[in-house]
Amino acid sequence: MDRIVEDEGFTKLPVSLFHGEKAGDLPEIHRDPFDRMLVAQAQAEGLEIVTADSGISKHGIKLVDPCI
């Protein structure tokens, strides 16, 4: 799996304690812990999220439509 990620030009982003702390500080827009971690990582790292879940944009995250 690691090889496929690299071959496709993606970089793995480990979950850090900093990301976990930021996820815990987020407002209760999303209760799903995985969504909260994605939002925290995107905010901390200046990333966009590929998702159809428009609720995530309420956190000020730029979304990329997966249906393009």
Side-chain angles (χ1 to χ4, degrees):
M1 182 62 82
D2 287 346
R3 181 72 181 186
I4 294 170
V5 170
E6 293 169 6
D7 287 348
E8 293 298 322
F10 293 99
T11 303
K12 296 178 282 181
L13 178 62
V15 175
S16 70
L17 180 58
F18 179 75
H19 295 140
E21 289 172 340
K22 293 297 181 190
D25 292 340
L26 290 172
E28 291 290 326
I29 295 171
H30 265 83
R31 297 192 55 161
D32 182 307
F34 188 76
D35 285 348
R36 293 172 66 80
M37 183 59 70
L38 289 175
V39 168
Q41 286 184 302
Q43 288 176 338
E45 307 298 331
L47 303 172
E48 301 171 353
I49 296 178
V50 178
T51 183
D53 183 350
S54 61
I56 288 179
S57 67
K58 294 178 183 175
H59 288 284
I61 300 297
K62 183 173 180 187
L63 303 184
V64 176
D65 186 348
C67 299
I68 295 179

